[in-house]
Amino acid sequence: MTDVEVTTEDPFIAPVAMEDDPDATFPGDRGVLDPAVRRVLVRLLQRRFLLADRNKEDWAVLMDNHQVVESRLHDVFVRLIVDVERGVAYKQQVRSDDLEVPILLRDEPYSQAETLVLVYLRTVYQRESTAGERSARVDVEEVEQTVLTYFPDADGDIARRQRAVRAALARLRQDGIVDEESEGRYLISPLVEIVLSADKLRELTTWLRDQTEPDQIEADQPEPDQAEPDQTQPDDPQPEAAS
């Protein structure tokens, strides 16, 4: 009978101590990006948007390292979209009929109430932009008054609908689509044009017109012949979240 040699060697590769690898960010680090660039990469994966006005340092790093960040995202089949004019960056899942692509990002659609609030915010933003205004603002009471008319009569009582509208505003504020400047007073971000494209807005307002009395939402409809700015349209139609 042959003796079997027993080994006690650790089957895993031991991390290199930082004193022996001064360029490492942490023990065993094999990454090549600077820590600041890594943080931007992670935040792009974590968040729905990276905003220039809210994340000035991260935005500067992204602008200086756009190609390398884009390359790392492409390595995991994720597309980087940067809209410099609006100051927003976001990601999209690459999908292909010709290539097997493992899905890293999940679709995270807005709820009914959030979508209805978005329709109103997008309409107001378009109306103010067409009038030459540089910014668009709404009051929570104004949003409620209009959006409540969009709900089907069977969809809960008034108090329940009001809570849904306020919760929707809170979610959109978290996503950076509105900014609460003072209590109940919201500034609409240009992000609303990205989240809800002109084509999608027309589709939704047509549907709402068919569901409600014409005079209920007539005043808030966009003019049919108004020229729309070019839209950067994420899939479905909004940026996606990391799984």
Side-chain angles (χ1 to χ4, degrees):
M1 184 173 180
T2 305
D3 292 337
V4 178
E5 182 178 354
V6 178
T7 178
T8 59
E9 287 187 12
D10 190 338
F12 299 100
I13 299 174
V16 178
M18 290 196 69
E19 57 266 25
D20 298 327
D21 191 0
D23 294 329
T25 303
F26 54 85
D29 180 22
R30 290 294 174 265
V32 297
L33 300 181
D34 290 338
V37 182
R38 299 186 198 194
R39 284 191 286 271
V40 169
L41 184 60
V42 171
R43 284 165 185 154
L44 281 166
L45 287 169
Q46 286 178 328
R47 301 173 184 174
R48 194 179 284 270
F49 303 103
L50 185 68
L51 304 176
D53 59 348
R54 289 192 178 188
N55 316 107
K56 290 182 172 61
E57 291 184 8
D58 287 341
W59 185 263
V61 171
L62 177 60
M63 292 298 97
D64 291 340
N65 298 272
H66 179 273
Q67 289 187 337
V68 68
V69 172
E70 185 174 51
S71 174
R72 292 299 184 273
L73 290 173
H74 286 177
D75 283 341
V76 292
F77 300 105
V78 172
R79 185 177 291 113
L80 174 65
I81 311 295
V82 178
D83 188 329
V84 177
E85 182 179 350
R86 294 188 179 94
V88 58
Y90 56 91
K91 58 194 179 294
Q92 289 178 349
Q93 177 68 57
V94 172
R95 290 179 169 87
S96 172
D97 294 332
D98 303 320
L99 178 68
E100 181 183 353
V101 177
I103 302 302
L104 176 66
L105 306 181
R106 67 182 185 274
D107 291 334
E108 199 173 78
Y110 286 115
S111 68
Q112 179 197 40
E114 290 160 357
T115 301
L116 294 175
V117 172
L118 271 172
V119 169
Y120 181 68
L121 296 176
R122 178 68 168 86
T123 303
V124 172
Y125 186 88
Q126 176 178 303
R127 183 183 67 209
E128 296 301 300
S129 297
T130 302
E133 297 295 333
R134 300 184 61 181
S135 59
R137 292 172 173 81
V138 291
D139 293 316
V140 64
E141 293 82 5
E142 171 190 347
V143 177
E144 286 181 346
Q145 183 178 2
T146 302
V147 173
L148 289 179
T149 67
Y150 297 164
F151 282 91
D153 291 338
D155 194 13
D157 57 26
I158 295 296
R160 179 180 174 183
R161 297 180 201 178
Q162 286 177 320
R163 289 194 297 271
V165 170
R166 290 177 182 255
L169 278 170
R171 162 77 188 280
L172 298 177
R173 178 188 178 189
Q174 182 179 356
D175 283 352
I177 296 168
V178 293
D179 183 26
E180 191 171 17
E181 294 183 314
S182 58
E183 187 174 356
R185 180 72 168 169
Y186 294 90
L187 173 68
I188 306 173
S189 164
L191 278 178
V192 74
E193 289 188 303
I194 293 175
V195 173
L196 199 59
S197 70
D199 289 340
K200 193 67 175 178
L201 176 63
R202 281 189 286 267
E203 177 186 333
L204 287 170
T205 51
T206 298
W207 180 85
L208 285 169
R209 187 183 298 115
D210 292 340
Q211 300 299 311
T212 60
E213 292 296 327
D215 59 346
Q216 287 183 296
I217 58 173
E218 184 73 24
D220 292 320
Q221 301 309 317
E223 293 295 331
D225 295 329
Q226 284 176 357
E228 288 291 334
D230 291 338
Q231 303 296 319
T232 304
Q233 297 183 33
D235 293 340
D236 193 33
Q238 54 192 311
E240 297 160 296
S243 298

